[in-house]
Amino acid sequence: MAGALKPSIRVFDDGAALTRAAAKLFADSAHRAARDGFFRVAFSGGRTPKALFHLLAGKEYRDIPWKKIEFFWGDERYVPHTHPDSNYRAAKDILLSQVPVDLNRVHPIPTAAKNPKKDAGRYEGMLRKLLGETPRLDFAVMGLGPDGHTASLFPGGTALKETERWAVPAYAEKKLPRSRITLTVPVFNAAKKVVFLVVGEEKAEVVKDVIEDRGDFPAARIRPQDGELIFLLDKAAASRLGRGS
Ligand code: 6PG
């Protein structure tokens, strides 16, 4: 992450405390953005954000200006939106179906064309229409895989090298479903706030490598040019930080 703004690293006793902090960060950002426009958020997939979705669906966050939020996804598995592995389905079932969102502002990554390249192009067209010249998201929720991937930007993948397009097909070598669509590094790096949620001992080594920029991990490429980079870690995921190699 040479040259990046120093990331903010916040360590919590456990996943529950991390999730509470993530929900407060989301809510505060949403209230602030909604004062003069829309709050544009991109959700990640996988397991970790589900606890956040559950908490945000609860009564404590009823006052979030849900109708002022535009929902996007950082990546999607190339399966129907009804499929159990769909990132959109997870967010919809747990959160979006439980709070008063404006359905016209919920923008899942399309996966119906049976052609990831075509659907990625469609998503990019929609993003450009809604976001304009620069894909300036307000808040991007990111996960981290043990191999240092984030969204569906995998080590050695062509998607990781993309510098022009905003949404491209991707291929997960080690994680089913293999066919994906992902936003690209330039999109995440244009965001105002990028928030990694990382829980568990199995990620401690890669957390250290990514934060200390050791090796060439996809997540280490995510460094907002004019925005905040925040790592919310539980103690287990942060357990290698500050130690020698
Ligand atoms: C996906 C995600 C992916 C995820 C990481 C971490 O579609 O799977 O976007 O990048 O964030 O693999 O996943 P967990 O939170 O399940 O550990």
Side-chain angles (χ1 to χ4, degrees):
M1 259 185 288
L5 284 175
K6 201 159 167 39
S8 158
I9 299 161
R10 303 173 200 172
V11 181
F12 301 88
D13 283 344
D14 53 29
L18 181 156
T19 303
R20 286 194 295 275
K24 185 169 181 333
L25 193 58
F26 178 93
D28 292 350
S29 305
H31 282 291
R32 201 171 309 120
R35 276 201 288 266
D36 51 18
F38 288 94
F39 179 55
R40 296 156 159 176
V41 61
F43 283 150
S44 69
R47 202 182 47 251
T48 308
K50 289 179 178 175
L52 173 63
F53 297 156
H54 277 292
L55 194 52
L56 289 173
K59 58 181 184 309
E60 191 180 347
Y61 289 100
R62 279 271 171 268
D63 68 336
I64 282 180
W66 293 107
K67 294 218 183 301
K68 299 292 291 291
I69 303 181
E70 297 263 17
F71 294 92
F72 303 93
W73 274 261
D75 72 321
E76 185 56 280
R77 290 83 180 277
Y78 203 69
V79 294
H81 288 160
T82 50
H83 191 284
D85 285 339
S86 163
N87 290 339
Y88 163 69
R89 176 176 165 183
K92 174 174 167 280
D93 289 355
I94 301 171
L95 174 59
L96 304 180
S97 57
Q98 306 301 313
V99 292
V101 300
D102 177 347
L103 292 176
N104 296 316
R105 299 192 183 285
V106 175
H107 310 291
I109 295 176
T111 59
K114 295 188 176 38
N115 178 331
K117 196 162 184 302
K118 186 183 284 185
D119 275 326
R122 280 184 182 149
Y123 204 58
E124 173 155 346
M126 187 273 298
L127 287 171
R128 288 183 184 275
K129 204 167 80 194
L130 285 172
L131 302 179
E133 280 302 297
T134 308
R136 189 99 164 119
L137 294 166
D138 292 295
F139 200 99
V141 178
M142 310 295 289
L144 179 65
D147 61 354
H149 81 262
T150 190
S152 284
L153 300 167
F154 295 99
T158 49
L160 185 59
K161 302 182 188 95
E162 180 59 49
T163 57
E164 301 302 322
R165 288 177 294 169
W166 292 5
V168 293
Y171 185 77
E173 299 283 346
K174 298 182 198 146
K175 195 175 173 189
L176 293 175
R178 299 209 189 291
S179 180
R180 309 285 184 99
I181 290 177
T182 188
L183 299 190
T184 56
V185 171
V187 176
F188 294 119
N189 285 347
K192 287 183 189 163
K193 204 173 280 203
V194 173
V195 184
F196 278 87
L197 310 182
V198 193
V199 170
E201 169 76 27
E202 74 279 7
K203 305 206 178 158
E205 205 51 50
V206 74
V207 161
K208 177 182 177 64
D209 290 338
V210 166
I211 287 178
E212 295 174 5
D213 201 5
R214 304 145 54 106
D216 181 19
F217 294 99
R221 310 268 189 100
I222 306 302
R223 54 175 207 273
Q225 278 107 356
D226 177 20
E228 274 184 271
L229 178 58
I230 301 170
F231 285 87
L232 302 185
L233 311 170
D234 73 343
K235 269 191 184 147
S239 57
R240 301 275 198 292
L241 289 179
R243 291 191 191 173
S245 50

